[in-house]
């Protein structure tokens, strides 16, 4: 009750916010301190019992509120820690953090120029720049920042469907033929999720076979398209992946583009994870052919280290998003305003309320320049190669697939001493399956590092190491390997 807008609340407010900032700054400094834990792990029931988290009728004091802030951060995962490798989005960028603070203070909505003038212009400028980097002439086209790659992929599906059957907007799925979409068996689950949400159905998403490196096989794609057409289905979208979640594989975009052109199908590229490589002159060849896509998902909150969330959908044809999504709400998008209405971008989004996600990316880009992002990305890829070279012939390690990784994903099994030299059998496989989960559980209990594991197809649990944190160094990679060996010796 003592804080603004209370009368004479300025002094209390300033000192409260100063205290909060002090708590945050201590956390930020700790995040980069390798002697601190990545995680102070407690089981959910322990954490629930240890503190009172319940909401009460009576207010708490500001001291208690500050204590709540401290407690929350005490058990938070330090995603900026140089030894946190668990997700595709890691790291803590100082300029990005500053931008997020500013965005929260401005607390506005992205739907009109009227209430978000600078932010709307920055979204326009930034999306155009990203489309230029995709290779569309003069950065032509359209785009939107959405709440994550899954929604960006869903937008692509929505727009592709509208482009082929505009009547679906008013009449719904009953008015159009049975649609089918195609994506690789290694693609992100969001493609099926989007099909479920849009009423297309997960059965209508046809999974295309991949080679041993996780890349879509174009001949299989063409075969399945022909098959679907023979059954009377209408192929409307192919989603190629640039940087798969587990293997970090890049589908052969040129071959996919040729097939999409031949059969007149919308080509989407899910570059949520791999799109950042467009910033690097050394690595962007992996996305050759992306300029032929009709739409592209690109998540700067992954490889580029922008704070969550920051995901862009880019569309080659201008005006399509607008006609697909607009509802002409007259209380928001009045047609008789005193400025250029093309800057009222809200009607092309599915959301009404939309968070300002662009400012973090824009401010970081200003601070680093394209070359800064390039250096950061090149460094992460170099670290992945260092890890690969370190373990490919090391005793106790087996690579999940042969050859140098194309992205920062390095997939491997750790083979504890008790399993070395044991020939392949069902028993060995079932024992190997338990190794990664036990090591991961121990890592979290010690709090020293975090790396993810998963099974895939017929392959039992293996580690998927990914690097997107510019704070990581060769020593952190060495530490991870030592830690896996220390925690897995006795298994």
């Amino acid at each position: 009750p003592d804080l603004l807008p209370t009368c004479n609340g300025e002094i209390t407010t300033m000192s409260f916010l100063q205290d909060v900032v002090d708590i945050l700054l201590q956390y930020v400094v700790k995040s980069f301190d390798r002697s601190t834990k990545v995680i102070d792990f407690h089981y959910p029931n322990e954490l629930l019992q240890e503190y009172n988290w319940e909401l009460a009728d009576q207010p708490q004091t500001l001291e208690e509120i500050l204590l709540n802030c401290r407690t929350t951060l005490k058990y938070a995962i330090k995603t900026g820690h140089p030894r946190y490798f668990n997700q595709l989005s890691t790291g803590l960028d100082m300029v990005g953090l500053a931008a997020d603070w500013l965005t929260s203070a401005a607390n506005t909505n992205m739907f009109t120029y009227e209430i978000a003038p600078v932010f709307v212009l920055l979204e326009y400028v930034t999306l155009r720049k990203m489309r230029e980097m995709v290779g569309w002439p003069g950065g032509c086209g359209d785009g939107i920042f959405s709440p994550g790659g899954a929604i960006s992929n869903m937008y692509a599906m929505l727009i592709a469907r509208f482009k082929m059957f505009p009547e679906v907007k008013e009449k719904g799925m009953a008015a159009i033929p049975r649609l089918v979409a195609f994506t690789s068996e290694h693609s992100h689950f969001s493609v099926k999720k989007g099909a479920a949400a849009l009423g297309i159905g997960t059965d209508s998403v046809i999974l295309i076979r991949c080679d041993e490196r996780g890349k879509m096989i174009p001949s299989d794609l063409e075969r399945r398209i022909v098959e679907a057409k023979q059954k009377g289905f209408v192929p409307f979208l192919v989603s190629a992946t640039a940087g798969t979640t587990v293997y970090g594989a890049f589908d052969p975009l040129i071959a996919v583009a040729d097939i999409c052109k031949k059969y007149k199908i919308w080509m989407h590229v899910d570059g949520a994870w791999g799109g950042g490589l467009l910033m690097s002159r050394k690595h962007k060849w992996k996305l050759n052919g992306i300029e032929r896509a009709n739409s592209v998902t690109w998540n700067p909150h992954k490889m580029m280290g922008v704070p969550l969330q920051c995901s862009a959908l880019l569309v080659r044809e201008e005006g399509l998003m607008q006609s697909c999504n607009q509802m002409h709400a007259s209380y928001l998008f009045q047609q008789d305003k005193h400025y250029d209405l093309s800057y009222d971008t809200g009607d092309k989004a599915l959301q009404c309320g939309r968070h300002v996600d662009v400012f973090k990316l824009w401010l970081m880009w200003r601070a680093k320049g394209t070359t800064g992002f390039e250096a950061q990305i090149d460094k992460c890829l170099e670290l992945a190669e260092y890890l690969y070279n370190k373990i490919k012939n090391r005793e106790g390690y087996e690579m999940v697939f042969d050859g140098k990784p194309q992205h920062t994903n390095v997939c491997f099994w750790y083979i504890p001493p008790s399993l070395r030299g044991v020939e392949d059998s069902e028993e060995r496989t079932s024992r190997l399956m338990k190794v990664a989960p036990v090591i991961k559980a121990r890592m979290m209990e010690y709090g020293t590092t975090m790396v993810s594991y998963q099974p895939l197809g017929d392959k039992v649990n293996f580690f998927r190491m990914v690097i997107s944190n510019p704070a990581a160094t060769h020593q952190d990679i060495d530490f991870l390997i030592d830690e896996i060996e220390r925690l897995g010796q006795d298994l």
Side-chain angles (χ1 to χ4, degrees):
D2 311 327
L3 301 177
L4 285 171
T6 297
C7 193
N8 301 326
E10 292 90 335
I11 292 168
T12 321
T13 300
M14 295 308 266
S15 94
F16 169 70
L17 288 178
Q18 196 58 60
D19 289 343
V20 172
V21 168
D22 290 344
I23 292 170
L24 295 176
L25 294 180
Q26 283 166 19
Y27 178 78
V28 167
V29 170
K30 260 192 186 157
S31 281
F32 296 100
D33 176 358
R34 286 175 176 78
S35 70
T36 66
K37 290 178 163 192
V38 174
I39 171 183
D40 180 354
F41 181 78
H42 286 62
Y43 287 97
N45 56 341
E46 296 174 341
L47 212 46
L48 272 174
Q49 284 156 16
E50 204 165 321
Y51 295 92
N52 175 19
W53 305 99
E54 295 307 315
L55 297 164
D57 291 343
Q58 298 309 312
Q60 289 196 313
T61 64
L62 286 181
E63 280 65 47
E64 288 172 306
I65 296 302
L66 288 169
L67 196 61
N68 295 155
C69 292
R70 283 201 181 84
T71 306
T72 302
L73 284 179
K74 173 172 161 51
Y75 298 108
I77 311 284
K78 296 196 191 81
T79 55
H81 196 291
R83 291 174 182 168
Y84 172 78
F85 302 110
N86 209 61
Q87 250 57 48
L88 301 183
S89 44
T90 62
L92 182 57
D93 188 275
M94 295 304 108
V95 173
L97 179 62
D100 229 352
W101 288 349
L102 183 144
T103 302
S104 290
N107 190 30
T108 191
N109 201 321
M110 280 302 286
F111 42 53
T112 60
Y113 180 81
E114 185 176 322
I115 61 160
V118 178
F119 296 135
V120 162
L121 294 180
L122 296 183
E123 187 169 71
Y124 171 78
V125 167
T126 307
L127 288 168
R128 190 183 59 200
K129 178 74 174 173
M130 291 171 84
R131 291 192 300 267
E132 254 173 51
M133 301 196 77
V134 164
W136 295 333
C140 69
D142 208 339
I144 195 119
F145 283 94
S146 86
I151 305 295
S152 293
N153 288 340
M154 189 170 89
Y155 265 120
M157 199 171 261
L158 184 71
I159 296 161
R161 178 176 71 176
F162 176 80
K163 172 75 176 168
M164 195 176 262
F165 294 105
E167 64 271 28
V168 74
K169 182 175 173 182
E170 286 81 22
K171 307 269 186 290
M173 288 296 285
I176 65 171
R178 166 90 185 266
L179 300 178
V180 284
F182 305 84
T183 189
S184 92
E185 55 189 1
H186 282 223
S187 69
H188 194 259
F189 67 83
S190 57
V191 180
K192 282 194 163 185
K193 205 167 234 198
L198 295 175
I200 292 163
T202 56
D203 287 353
S204 299
V205 177
I206 295 171
L207 298 182
I208 306 304
R209 290 217 326 272
C210 292
D211 65 16
E212 66 289 341
R213 294 289 306 261
K215 298 164 180 285
M216 186 195 287
I217 300 171
S219 59
D220 194 53
L221 171 64
E222 184 158 21
R223 183 177 72 79
R224 300 303 297 267
I225 290 172
V226 171
E227 223 170 68
K229 287 173 78 111
Q230 283 165 350
K231 288 179 183 162
F233 302 150
V234 178
F236 81 109
L237 171 123
V238 173
S239 178
T241 314
T244 58
T245 313
V246 180
Y247 281 10
F250 290 81
D251 285 343
L253 301 182
I254 294 173
V256 171
D258 289 341
I259 292 168
C260 288
K261 185 180 173 188
K262 180 172 170 184
Y263 294 98
K264 298 188 172 56
I265 304 173
W266 183 282
M267 176 183 172
H268 175 61
V269 175
D270 176 4
W273 173 222
L277 269 54
L278 290 169
M279 308 294 271
S280 162
R281 285 167 292 193
K282 185 176 172 188
H283 294 287
K284 68 177 181 195
W285 62 270
K286 295 164 187 175
L287 295 110
N288 282 352
I290 194 170
E291 69 288 346
R292 294 175 60 190
N294 298 93
S295 57
V296 172
T297 292
W298 175 357
N299 286 10
H301 71 220
K302 292 195 167 90
M303 199 61 207
M304 289 160 67
V306 177
L308 285 156
Q309 56 203 21
C310 187
S311 169
L313 173 79
L314 310 169
V315 182
R316 192 167 63 190
E317 185 181 326
E318 207 179 336
L320 200 54
M321 288 193 85
Q322 189 77 18
S323 42
C324 175
N325 293 324
Q326 68 186 357
M327 289 293 152
H328 304 291
S330 56
Y331 55 84
L332 191 56
F333 307 112
Q334 302 90 342
Q335 295 306 296
D336 45 9
K337 291 183 180 178
H338 63 293
Y339 58 82
D340 178 353
L341 293 176
S342 70
Y343 292 105
D344 282 3
T345 51
D347 217 8
K348 69 182 176 194
L350 278 181
Q351 297 164 268
C352 176
R354 193 159 67 87
H355 187 259
V356 176
D357 291 329
V358 67
F359 191 64
K360 301 171 280 200
L361 171 58
W362 180 83
L363 202 65
M364 282 171 66
W365 209 324
R366 295 280 282 200
K368 293 176 199 284
T370 307
T371 54
F373 274 126
E374 174 179 53
Q376 188 175 309
I377 286 163
D378 286 354
K379 180 191 165 189
C380 289
L381 279 127
E382 189 275 316
L383 283 177
E385 198 171 334
Y386 170 78
L387 170 62
Y388 167 72
N389 289 332
K390 185 180 169 85
I391 64 175
K392 65 177 178 188
N393 300 317
R394 187 182 178 100
E395 192 189 6
Y397 292 85
E398 270 177 39
M399 304 311 295
V400 173
F401 55 84
D402 290 334
K404 198 170 87 173
Q406 275 218 296
H407 205 345
T408 68
N409 309 50
V410 183
C411 297
F412 60 91
W413 287 282
Y414 170 68
I415 316 288
S418 71
L419 280 178
R420 289 174 207 170
V422 175
E423 62 229 42
D424 216 358
S425 65
E426 251 176 63
E427 198 219 343
R428 181 185 188 270
T429 305
S430 74
R431 280 174 62 193
L432 183 57
M433 187 162 88
K434 299 184 180 88
V435 171
V438 172
I439 293 177
K440 173 69 177 270
R442 291 175 178 180
M443 269 178 187
M444 288 179 72
E445 280 169 13
Y446 280 104
T448 46
T449 183
M450 281 176 76
V451 61
S452 90
Y453 72 83
Q454 67 282 299
L456 187 72
D458 59 350
K459 295 176 167 61
V460 297
N461 285 325
F462 56 87
F463 286 111
R464 176 206 66 171
M465 171 68 176
V466 279
I467 303 157
S468 60
N469 184 352
T473 62
H474 294 94
Q475 287 80 359
D476 297 312
I477 305 291
D478 296 342
F479 175 85
L480 174 82
I481 293 305
D482 292 345
E483 198 60 358
I484 287 175
E485 290 172 3
R486 176 178 83 87
L487 298 172
Q489 270 309 315
D490 61 334
L491 295 177

